[in-house]
Each structure stands twice: as C-alpha cells, then as structure tokens.
Amino acid sequence: MTVIQTAGLTKQYGSLIALNGLSTTIGAGITGLVGANGAGKSTLIKLLLGLLTPSSGDAAVLGHDIRTQGTEIRRLVGYMPEHDCLPPDVRAIDFIVHMGRMSGLPPNVARERAADTLRHVGLADERYRLMGSYSTGMKQRAKLAQAITHHPKLVLLDEPTNGMDPASRDDMLTLVSKIGHDFGIPVLVTSHLLGELERVSDNIIVLDGGTLLRSQATSAFTEVTGVLLVEVLGEDQSQHRMGEALAAQGLPCRPRGSLIEVDPRGLPEPAKARDTIRDTAVDLSLGLVRIQAEHGQIQDIFRGEPARG
Amino acid sequence: MASRTGGVIHDIGYRPYEGRRLSEGSIAWSLFRRGYLEAFGIGRSARAKILPMTMAVLMLIPALVIVSVIVLVSLAEGFLNYSTYINIFSVGIVIFVAGQAPVLFTRDLRSGAISLYLARPLPTWAFALIRCASLAAAIFTISALPLLLMFIGAVSNEADFTDQASDFFPAVLSVLILSVILASVTGLISALTTRRGFAVGAILISLWVSSAFVTAVQAIADFNRMDGLSQFVGLLSPFSLADGIQSGLLGGTASFLGSPEGIGMILLYVVSSIVLVLGSLLLLIRSYRRKAK
Ligand SMILES: Nc1ncnc2c1ncn2[C@@H]1O[C@H](COP(=O)(O)OP(=O)(O)O)[C@@H](O)[C@H]1O
Ligand SMILES: [Mg+2]
C-alpha cells in the first residue's frame, strides 16, 4: 500500500533549497524521517499537508494531489507540529474534543474519542487540568492526542520526542510504535537524533541538506557490516600485542575502547579472518573472550562508512 | 488488555472510527460557537471569565436602572433612546473589544494552535472569517442586550409597540454594523502580533484616539458652521461611522455632531464602512496565509 509518493519534490526559499528533488515512496507501518536540523524534514511535512506549495515536482498523499487536494488530505491526516501548539488556559479534554470536531467528528463521537485518546496517550488522570500546567512530556502527549483523535489514515509526527528527558522519550517512542503497529495507522515520524528511530521504524529515510541520502528498510541499516570486534584477555598490554600481531598478518585493525576493530572487508578472503584471529590469540597465549560481528547504525552513513547496499 | 502500573500508558484497546464525518459547514459552525463562548471566557480558565463577564454586566446596568425607573414611576415615553445608548456607554464596548479580540486572534498565534487549525479541513480564509464572526457576535451580544432589555421593559409597561419598535430596530441594526466593523478592524490588529499586551494597547489607542479626534474636530467644525468637514471627519472612527449610517440612513438619533446629510454623503458612509470591513478581512486572511508557512 502506497501512502505517500513524491517525485522530484522541491521547495526553495529564495536561493535556499530546503528540499531538493525528493523522489520516494512511503508505505504502511512506521517510517522514520531523520536528518540534522535544517535538513528539510518540517518542510516536507508541510508540503505533504498542502500548506506549502512546491517549487517543482509533485507528491500524492493517500492518492490525493498535494497541489490541488489539500483539503481532502487534511481531512484524512493527523499532524503533530514540532513547536508548541496548545492554548495554556484550556483543559486537555475540552481541547481534544474541540480538535476532533475541527476534523469533522460529530459532537458525541468527538467527546467519546477524546476521552479514549487521552487514555491511550497516558493522560487519563490529567485530562481535566489546564494544559498550561503540563510538563513538557505531558504537552507532547496532548499534542499527539489531537493528531490521532479523529482516527486519521496517516499521521505526520514532527519531532515528537523534542525536549523530552530519556524516560519520556522512551514512552513517546513506545506510543509511536503502538500507533503504527497496534492501531494500524501509517506513521511518518521525524527526528534530528539519527539513531533514535531505529527502534520503532520499519523504514528509514535520511535527509541531508534537503537531499535524500538513503531510503530503505531499517534492517538494511542495522545488518552486519562485515567488521569484527575482538576482545582478548591476558597480561601486559594484551590488546596492544594482539593488534600488532593481527596487523603483521595483513588484517587491518585499530583499537576501539577495550576492543579491537578488525576490518577484513578489503581482503581477498574476508571469511578467513575469524580463523586468523583465533590462531593469533593461541600463538600469543591470550584468552579470546569474543569475536563479535558489528551491526550498522544509521549514524554510520554520515561518517562516510557505507552501511552496505 | 494490558496495563503498566506505575507507568502511565494504559492499553484499553483501540477503536477505529469509520463513521460519519461532518461537512465543512458543520465544522465552521462548531468553530464559530466555540469562539463565541471563548470570547466570554466560557471553556477557558476562571480568570478568563472576569473581564468579559464584568463588561457584559456593566453594559446592562444602566439599562436595568432605566427599566426600573420606567416600571416604578410609570414613565412611558421620551425617556429612553435606543440609538444613543451604545455611544454613551461606548467605553464598555471598547474595553470588551480590547480585551477579547486578542483572545480570538492573538491567542492562537501565541500558543501556536493556529498550526493545528490550518492543518485541518477548514480553509484558511474560512478560519479567518469565522473568527471575525465569533467576535462580531460577542460584541453584538453585549451591545444589543441592554437595548433588548429596555425594549421589553418599555413595551411590557404600556408604551406603544410600533413607536418603540421604530426606534429599537434601527438601533439594533446600527449595533450590528458597529459590531462587524469593530470585529474586522480589531481582529486584524490582534492578528498582527503574538503579544497580547500590544494588541490590547493598540486597540484601546486606535479606538479612543479616533473617537476623540472625531468628536473634537466635529465640535470645532460645528462651532464654525463647517458642516461638510464635520461630516467627512465622521468617516474616521468606527463609532461615528456606524452612528452616521444609523442616523442618516435609518433615521435614528445621532450621537455625533456630523451626521451625514444628502444621499451622496450617506452613500460615502456606507461605502467607507464596506471598504473598511472588506479591506481588514482581506489583510487578515493574507496574514493567516503567511502563518501556514
Ligand atoms: N519560511 C521559511 N523561509 C525561509 N527559509 C526557511 C523557511 N522555512 C524553513 N526554511 C529553511 O529551510 C531549511 C529546512 O528547514 P526545515 O524543513 O525546518 O528543516 P528541519 O525540519 O529538518 O529542521 C532550513 O535551512 C530553514 O532555515
Ligand atoms: Mg523541523
């Protein structure tokens, strides 16, 4: 199922190109949109909502053209902006009911669903409080509630974990995962923290300076890279001696913390590296604690180390 | 059914909704209604109710006194004048508008809620117009309610119905015109800033200065028998504009000295009001369009 499709989508502000010829397809499940600040994530979301007009290129959201069918799109989509958007002098329950009505829910449905939604995001006990008294984490959850209360066919979440402490960040990501995987609503979620969305996303899109750097399944980012991490145990600079010995046999390696990073990828027979490591440890009378295959991380593609593929 | 005690996330099972969704018309009505109530502080914090409720009551008190006098002394006629009431007590309207226009316009910008509205089905232009309609209806309510009270008091106390009605209805119409002018002008002012204090100050100053200027120039012009100048100056304040239309066109009693005379001048008053309202609304919509970006 194609939820979002873009073709050469470009947005220019004067001479600044905020989004540069983005062509990608986004399907069901959770898609993480990552990139540093200024990469063009919010610009893409506003284009998809039909709030910004593209400079060139096209996109369709749930089959609707973003240039001509903005109203249709905004009927079907839920949106959580990155900045503050809650009036402080209103109770959460009243606000979520109102926002449900603004999305077209009949009055009684809006009321029922607002109570349900606030329970889902963990604000059941605080729903009668003025939102001005909420903590950052609670505000983020109320913002999320207004985005899903009308049962949208797609939710766009712009930096939902922004400004939160690690514990609430974790709770928020759990909620995002619940929306995408349990409620079955396709999610496009952004973050400027590159590694953060690995845990919840099925697919990852990486933007850098408005340009698409990578778009693929999360597993493709995190599969084994071919690099081996080695830990040895012994007396008198065992790690150093082991490293020297491996290098002497032509295995490229370097220390990484208390481990040795061995990169056999450029060798004619990389599969033989494990045997070489084992033999070398025996020769030096060192205890071989482990040989571990390294898994890729999204950050790696910014270090110029190809995560393969 | 899972529940994380200690934590805050409860899973009570998600219910999708595939039922009926309302048209933009119903959404618009719902937004109008809520905006109208919020202008009186309803659906907001207790503190937010103080100013609008106080002004609404203060606007009613003179009318209550008048009605009591009518009833007690059995005074029937020549005592009350619907069309000058709002100009005599205009300070109440000015304070209400200065306090509540920012509630409907500045507040959405300051809190950022505007981006939630603009990401929903109602188009930007409709949102701007509905906000104005809520404010106009609120202004109309606090200005027309005292007139209604006096009308009911007089009629139920043996005053001649046709007599009263021929004064009452033009006055109500002029209050409506004033409400629309005030709502669009002060709505625009409030939508240009995210600082409530600025909006309140700018509205107070622009309404008071324009009213005082018109009154002063008209007094001088009247003294020097410069009727033309007096009538032209009346175009410069919302209150004299609405007053001119009701006295010139609807035959009510004028509160300002330079009531327009002659079809040309009356037409100028009408056209000026329309231009003022439409111009303000267009600028308001343009400023909201920019907010979406
Ligand atoms: N309204 C605007 N006018 C001019 N430049 C803008 C505007 N909005 C965003 N930009 C610029 O476009 C680029 C992308 O911004 P944005 O989409 O907000 O990035 P992100 O959300 O990834 O941090 C940034 O360089 C930003 O400064
Ligand atoms: Mg952003």
Side-chain angles (χ1 to χ4, degrees):
Chain A
M1 180 176 75
T2 300
V3 178
I4 299 170
Q5 182 141 37
T6 73
L9 192 61
T10 300
K11 180 67 191 180
Q12 244 174 303
Y13 294 108
S15 62
L16 182 114
I17 303 176
L19 196 66
N20 192 359
L22 180 73
S23 298
T24 190
T25 302
I26 295 172
I30 300 178
T31 303
L33 177 62
V34 299
N37 284 321
K41 305 180 295 291
S42 301
T43 300
L44 173 60
I45 286 189
K46 287 177 194 164
L47 284 165
L48 295 176
L49 282 166
L51 297 176
L52 288 178
T53 316
S55 308
S56 65
D58 284 298
V61 176
L62 301 162
H64 297 288
D65 186 342
I66 59 164
R67 287 175 188 270
T68 55
Q69 294 176 294
T71 304
E72 312 303 315
I73 293 171
R74 292 191 290 271
R75 272 187 169 281
L76 299 172
V77 170
Y79 167 52
M80 172 176 174
E82 61 182 321
H83 48 71
D84 289 343
C85 58
L86 305 173
D89 57 351
V90 178
R91 302 186 308 173
I93 183 76
D94 296 337
F95 189 67
I96 304 302
V97 171
H98 175 54
M99 282 298 144
R101 302 275 279 125
M102 290 301 99
S103 290
L105 294 185
N108 52 335
V109 178
R111 245 172 281 133
E112 269 174 38
R113 290 194 64 88
D116 272 4
T117 309
L118 284 168
R119 220 177 349 254
H120 282 303
V121 301
L123 288 175
D125 300 335
E126 292 89 0
R127 65 187 187 278
Y128 294 115
R129 271 171 57 185
L130 299 181
M131 293 185 292
S133 72
Y134 276 10
S135 68
T136 307
M138 291 159 73
K139 282 182 182 157
Q140 290 298 89
R141 281 186 262 159
K143 281 166 63 177
L144 181 65
Q146 66 76 33
I148 58 172
T149 191
H150 55 294
H151 184 57
K153 299 278 180 287
L154 164 70
V155 272
L156 305 173
L157 309 177
D158 203 354
E159 308 253 4
T161 59
N162 209 6
M164 296 174 111
D165 59 62
S168 342
R169 196 174 274 273
D170 232 42
D171 278 348
M172 177 55 74
L173 289 173
T174 305
L175 275 172
V176 171
S177 167
K178 204 158 82 162
I179 293 168
H181 297 140
D182 300 347
F183 300 179
I185 305 172
V187 177
L188 178 65
V189 52
T190 79
S191 175
H192 65 277
L193 298 174
L194 305 177
E196 182 179 69
L197 299 176
E198 269 176 22
R199 173 160 88 70
V200 295
S201 310
D202 305 307
N203 294 285
I204 298 264
I205 294 176
V206 185
L207 280 182
D208 186 31
T211 309
L212 177 71
L213 216 55
R214 196 67 69 88
S215 170
Q216 57 193 187
T218 307
S219 55
F221 285 94
T222 54
E223 69 192 5
V224 289
T225 57
V227 171
L228 299 173
L229 298 173
V230 178
E231 186 176 357
V232 287
L233 198 64
E235 287 162 10
D236 194 20
Q237 297 199 327
S238 55
Q239 186 194 5
H240 181 72
R241 283 195 285 137
M242 179 74 178
E244 299 266 276
L246 289 175
Q249 296 178 66
L251 272 181
C253 59
R254 62 178 182 203
R256 188 197 284 184
S258 62
L259 306 176
I260 304 163
E261 179 188 307
V262 180
D263 188 353
R265 284 178 295 180
L267 301 180
E269 285 179 295
K272 279 200 154 175
R274 281 176 185 264
D275 291 340
T276 313
I277 293 168
R278 215 168 282 129
D279 296 346
T280 310
V282 172
D283 290 349
L284 296 176
S285 322
L286 295 172
L288 186 58
V289 181
R290 61 177 154 151
I291 304 175
Q292 176 193 323
E294 185 205 48
H295 287 263
Q297 288 187 318
I298 291 167
Q299 290 95 311
D300 297 341
I301 71 168
F302 284 95
R303 298 202 199 106
E305 289 180 16
R308 271 205 325 176
Chain B
M1 296 278 258
S3 157
R4 252 178 58 186
T5 38
V8 263
I9 296 162
H10 308 274
D11 186 359
I12 53 155
Y14 181 75
R15 279 187 292 169
Y17 177 74
E18 304 297 346
R20 195 165 65 99
R21 295 196 190 237
L22 303 180
S23 66
E24 269 104 56
S26 312
I27 297 175
W29 170 247
S30 167
L31 179 66
F32 168 80
R33 229 183 59 124
R34 182 166 171 96
Y36 177 76
L37 294 176
E38 284 191 327
F40 292 99
I42 299 167
R44 299 172 53 214
S45 59
R47 238 186 60 191
K49 296 179 179 68
I50 298 172
L51 177 87
M53 293 299 191
T54 307
M55 292 333 289
V57 170
L58 286 183
M59 286 297 290
L60 271 173
I61 288 177
L64 269 172
V65 172
I66 291 170
V67 169
S68 320
V69 170
I70 294 173
V71 173
L72 289 177
V73 192
S74 287
L75 252 182
E77 262 152 286
F79 180 63
L80 44 87
N81 190 322
Y82 301 107
S83 43
T84 53
Y85 190 93
I86 54 161
N87 282 301
I88 294 171
F89 302 106
S90 66
V91 61
I93 299 178
V94 170
I95 292 175
F96 180 84
V97 178
Q100 305 315 105
V103 169
L104 288 174
F105 293 88
T106 316
R107 195 163 143 265
D108 292 328
L109 305 181
R110 180 166 190 78
S111 70
I114 183 71
S115 47
L116 301 183
Y117 285 112
L118 299 186
R120 283 182 156 73
L122 274 190
T124 307
W125 62 264
F127 179 78
L129 295 189
I130 293 162
R131 277 282 186 248
C132 266
S134 293
L135 181 59
I139 300 170
F140 180 75
T141 304
I142 72 148
S143 338
L145 219 52
L147 306 188
L148 182 66
L149 189 71
M150 293 196 298
F151 180 67
I152 293 172
V155 171
S156 60
N157 201 53
E158 297 167 23
D160 181 56
F161 182 86
T162 351
D163 239 27
Q164 293 292 321
S166 67
D167 287 346
F168 172 68
F169 287 108
V172 168
L173 199 59
S174 100
V175 167
L176 184 63
I177 294 170
L178 179 68
S179 304
V180 172
I181 297 177
L182 285 179
S184 40
V185 172
T186 61
L188 173 63
I189 295 174
S190 309
L192 295 178
T193 174
T194 56
R195 306 274 292 272
R196 193 178 117 85
F198 282 173
V200 172
I203 293 170
L204 283 180
I205 289 170
S206 57
L207 292 184
W208 266 328
V209 166
S210 64
S211 256
F213 178 78
V214 168
T215 309
V217 174
Q218 284 186 336
I220 297 166
D222 195 58
F223 186 75
N224 295 306
R225 305 197 168 261
M226 297 156 75
D227 284 358
L229 173 67
S230 188
Q231 293 175 31
F232 270 116
V233 162
L235 296 168
L236 297 180
S237 134
F239 286 95
S240 53
L241 206 49
D243 186 56
I245 293 174
Q246 69 93 16
S247 61
L249 199 65
L250 309 171
T253 311
S255 302
F256 286 82
L257 289 171
S259 177
E261 283 160 21
I263 185 71
M265 188 53 86
I266 294 172
L267 209 61
L268 185 61
Y269 266 64
V270 173
V271 170
S272 300
S273 305
I274 294 173
V275 168
L276 181 61
V277 169
L278 290 186
S280 301
L281 293 179
L282 281 178
L283 289 175
L284 180 68
I285 292 168
R286 216 180 63 165
S287 111
Y288 273 124
R289 289 234 161 97
R290 293 222 179 102
K291 308 268 151 51
K293 306 197 159 134

